[in-house]
């Protein structure tokens, strides 16, 4: 019997004849090309997305930030499509006589959505104009016209599906691996502009024979790539769309996981920068942790410390002033961030969509030599106190700049540790010398923590923990929070997110999954490529998922182990 192609009921049966109605697939936003009062899109874009397993939606050129943010909250990746020229005034340049027709309706909208998507770690693929969008929005530059430097034809007369020239691919690039380690790729060409300078956030991954930049990718371990050709029109374009959809799926998985778990960074020094008049409710470039960056990186909570340099006059009052400032900030923004003093308060805030700040002290000189001041700080709600910083104090000897003053923990320090145990304040041994560390393990009746310390086996710095220290810490049910201070991650070259993961996994191998976590040291010189500030912390989660850690183990790493010890 011949099927009736105009049978609506048969189509509906395909939907309602099973449950659930459809598989959940990643949603890929595609910026629309605005021309002649019409927002339109070449069919190749959405067809390639569907073939790759994604769900395409068109993003119109709207500059309303509420529209842009709500759009980004609902997509898992973004394609920046081709189209007309950028107005060079966006780059602070006067127009060249060779400039073609600009597309003023799109410019601001696409530059805004690109910057906002980038800060949210949303995967992006820029195509033709789109690669130029990435450069314009994120610190690069664009040639207004390449005719005076190009020797190849970059605007073909042939059909869009016909490759007309080749590009040479860098062998260590994502593009190289996507195309089965081919160093040459046949592409089409429809442009007279091109990226002239990728900027620091990108690197060149393909060029045409005349040296024009044809592709670039993130230098920051972000899933962001741009190509100058139109892969949506080519048979060999599929790998790019498959890459984007896979990255979109990984983004969505991390995003959903962050909905379920509580993420806690156990050490940041942001209060050190309060005297600069920072704005915690703005995306303040002077600090690495603020409400915007916490939201972008899906960070639920951070422990902000009152750091005291040595010497500090009136140290108790100095620490109190810092806590007063934190309390003032949370009071001004109480709908969005609050101080939490218990794990229960952390979870209550998360359920209410509110960020949390917990309090800590970095350097026991805050006590001013008076044991009773511990009671005062306990009443203020501190979670832990780091016994020392760089240099010995009246509590213990330090790992750095030590004069071996006490040969470990001082008699006063022993009193301090016991009183901290009584009051439920965690003893933090980051910065402490090795003998001080072992003395504290012997003295303390409760597990101790190292709020921001990495592995000495991988980076031989006295601030890092030896494997023996790690094993001893785990034996007493303590935790060591891997830090992302570059000097504690590697001694040569630039540290990056992969070094952080190497230190974390070394700690897991030595101590077990129940004794590790993350203490970034943001705003205390912490931050590396790929984990430069709080907005990038979801990239840490993506690395954990890529390494196939379970949700339970990721929660342990993301503060669960630390909070377990805090609750003992």
């Amino acid at each position: 019997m011949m099927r009736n192609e105009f049978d609506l009921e048969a189509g509906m049966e395909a939907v309602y004849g099973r449950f659930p109605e459809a598989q959940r697939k990643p949603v890929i936003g595609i910026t629309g090309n605005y021309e002649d009062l019409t927002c339109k899109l070449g069919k190749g874009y959405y067809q390639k997305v569907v073939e790759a397993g994604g769900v395409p939606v068109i993003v119109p050129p709207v500059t309303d930030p509420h529209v842009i943010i709500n759009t980004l909250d609902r997509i898992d990746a973004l394609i920046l499509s081709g189209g007309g020229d950028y107005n060079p005034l966006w780059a602070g340049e006067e127009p060249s006589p060779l400039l073609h027709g600009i597309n003023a309706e799109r410019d601001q909208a696409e530059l805004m959505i690109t910057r906002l998507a980038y800060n949210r770690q949303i995967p992006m693929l820029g195509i033709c104009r789109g690669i130029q969008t990435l450069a314009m929005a994120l610190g690069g530059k664009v040639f207004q016209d390449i005719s005076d430097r190009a020797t190849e034809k970059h605007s073909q007369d042939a059909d869009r599906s016909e490759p007309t020239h080749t590009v040479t691919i860098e062998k260590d690039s994502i593009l190289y691996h996507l195309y089965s380690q081919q160093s040459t790729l046949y592409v089409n060409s429809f442009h007279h502009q091109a990226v002239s300078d990728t900027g620091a956030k990108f690197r060149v991954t393909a060029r045409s024979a005349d040296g024009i930049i044809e592709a670039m990718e993130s230098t920051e371990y972000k899933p962001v790539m741009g190509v100058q050709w139109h892969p949506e029109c080519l048979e060999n374009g599929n790998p790019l769309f498959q890459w984007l959809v896979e990255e979109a799926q990984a983004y969505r998985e991390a995003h959903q996981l962050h909905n379920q778990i509580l993420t806690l960074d156990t050490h940041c020094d942001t209060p050190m920068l309060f005297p600069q008049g920072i704005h915690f409710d703005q995306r303040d470039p002077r600090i690495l942790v603020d409400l915007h960056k916490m939201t972008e990186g899906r960070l639920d909570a951070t422990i902000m410390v009152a750091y005291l340099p040595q010497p500090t006059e009136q140290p108790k009052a100095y620490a109190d002033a810092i806590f007063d400032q934190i309390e003032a900030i949370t009071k001004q923004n109480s709908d969005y961030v609050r101080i939490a003093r218990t794990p229960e308060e952390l979870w209550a805030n998360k359920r209410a969509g509110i960020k949390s700040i917990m309090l800590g002290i970095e350097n026991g000189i805050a006590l001013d030599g008076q044991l009773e001041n511990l009671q005062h700080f306990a009443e203020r709600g501190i979670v832990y106190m780091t016994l020392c910083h760089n240099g010995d104090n009246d509590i213990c000897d330090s790992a750095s700049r030590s004069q071996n003053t006490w040969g470990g923990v001082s008699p006063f320090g022993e009193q301090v540790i016991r009183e901290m145990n009584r009051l439920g304040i965690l003893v933090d041994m980051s910065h402490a010398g090795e003998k001080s560390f072992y003395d504290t393990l012997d003295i303390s009746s409760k597990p101790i923590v190292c709020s921001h310390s990495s592995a000495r086996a991988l980076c031989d710095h006295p601030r890092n923990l030896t494997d023996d220290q790690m094993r001893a810490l785990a034996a007493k049910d303590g935790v060591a929070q891997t830090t992302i201070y570059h000097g504690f991650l590697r001694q040569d070259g630039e540290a990056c997110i992969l070094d952080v993961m190497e230190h974390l996994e070394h700690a897991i191998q030595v101590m077990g999954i129940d004794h590790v976590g993350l203490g970034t040291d943001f705003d205390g010189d912490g931050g590396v490529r790929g984990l430069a500030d709080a907005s990038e912390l979801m990239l840490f989660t993506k690395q954990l998922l890529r390494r196939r850690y379970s949700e339970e183990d990721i929660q342990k790493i993301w503060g669960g182990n630390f909070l377990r010890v805090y609750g003992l």
Side-chain angles (χ1 to χ4, degrees), residues 392-541:
D392 306 341
N393 61 16
D394 58 354
I395 295 174
C396 67
D397 293 342
S398 173
S400 302
R401 305 175 194 167
S402 177
Q403 302 297 315
N404 197 30
T405 305
W406 305 103
V409 172
S410 72
F412 174 63
E414 183 170 351
Q415 291 180 288
V416 168
I417 292 166
R418 296 191 190 283
E419 182 67 358
M420 290 173 72
N421 288 164
R422 187 184 73 81
L423 294 170
I425 301 170
L426 287 173
V427 179
D428 176 23
M429 296 308 291
S430 286
H431 286 286
E434 200 166 337
K435 183 62 165 56
S436 299
F437 173 90
Y438 285 114
D439 284 352
T440 301
L441 275 181
D442 290 338
I443 295 166
S444 181
S445 61
K446 293 186 176 181
I448 67 172
V449 301
C450 294
S451 66
H452 57 305
S453 295
S454 293
R456 199 180 303 184
L458 302 183
C459 180
D460 189 12
H461 191 289
R463 261 285 281 112
N464 284 339
L465 299 174
T466 68
D467 287 1
D468 285 342
Q469 284 179 286
M470 287 185 180
R471 281 187 280 266
L473 182 67
K476 293 290 186 74
D477 203 23
V479 295
Q481 308 289 105
T482 297
T483 193
I484 59 178
Y485 175 70
H486 53 90
F488 301 157
L489 294 173
R490 61 184 307 159
Q491 293 178 306
D492 60 326
E494 181 188 13
C496 68
I497 186 173
L498 301 182
D499 295 296
V500 178
M501 303 311 298
E502 187 177 1
H503 277 259
L504 174 69
E505 295 201 298
H506 179 84
I508 292 171
Q509 183 179 21
V510 174
M511 293 190 293
I513 194 68
D514 295 322
H515 304 283
V516 298
L518 185 71
T520 63
D521 206 14
F522 282 151
D523 290 315
D525 280 339
V528 297
R529 191 179 295 270
L531 287 176
D533 59 39
S535 75
E536 298 187 351
L537 285 172
M538 193 191 288
L539 300 179
F540 177 71
T541 303

Side-chain angles (χ1 to χ4, degrees), residues 84-260:
D85 293 350
Y86 268 97
N87 188 330
L89 294 178
W90 287 106
E93 299 175 1
E94 292 299 323
S96 159
L98 298 173
L99 186 70
H100 292 189
I102 62 173
N103 197 323
E105 191 73 22
R106 297 180 68 182
D107 288 359
Q108 183 177 358
E110 291 193 3
L111 293 172
M112 286 179 65
I113 199 170
T114 299
R115 184 80 65 85
L116 289 163
Y118 169 86
N119 288 339
R120 282 163 170 72
Q121 323 315 321
I122 293 175
M124 286 189 281
L125 173 62
I127 294 175
C128 198
R129 168 187 161 101
I131 187 176
Q132 297 159 22
T133 304
L134 290 171
M136 293 275 287
L138 299 170
K141 294 182 179 180
V142 172
F143 289 124
Q144 290 188 45
D145 187 87
I146 59 173
S147 59
D148 62 344
R149 55 184 47 83
T151 59
E152 302 289 316
K153 186 173 183 179
H154 287 275
S155 190
Q156 67 190 51
D157 301 316
D159 187 80
R160 286 177 175 262
S161 63
E162 184 74 21
T164 58
H165 75 97
T166 62
V167 298
T168 301
I169 302 174
E170 294 293 326
K171 291 187 177 181
D172 60 345
S173 66
I174 294 172
L175 204 58
Y176 182 71
H177 293 288
L178 289 179
Y179 283 94
S180 305
Q181 301 184 343
Q182 295 180 67
S183 58
T184 301
L185 185 67
Y186 292 96
V187 302
N188 53 18
S189 192
F190 298 93
H191 68 106
H192 77 106
Q193 295 190 318
V195 174
S196 61
D197 180 359
T198 64
K201 299 183 188 303
F202 294 95
R203 68 187 184 98
V204 177
T205 56
R207 292 183 186 270
S208 55
D210 53 5
I212 297 298
I213 295 173
E214 293 276 353
M216 64 185 193
E217 68 181 44
S218 171
T219 57
E220 301 171 315
Y221 302 91
K222 297 190 176 189
V224 183
M225 187 191 310
V227 296
Q228 187 58 69
W229 63 91
H230 279 272
E232 80 280 7
C233 301
L234 297 171
E235 287 187 15
N236 68 5
N238 291 3
L240 283 164
F241 292 90
Q242 290 166 354
W243 167 81
L244 186 68
V245 169
E246 288 171 6
E247 289 291 348
Q249 184 61 43
Y251 170 83
R252 179 160 191 81
E253 186 179 356
H255 207 274
Q256 290 178 322
L257 180 59
H258 275 249
N259 290 337
Q260 304 301 319

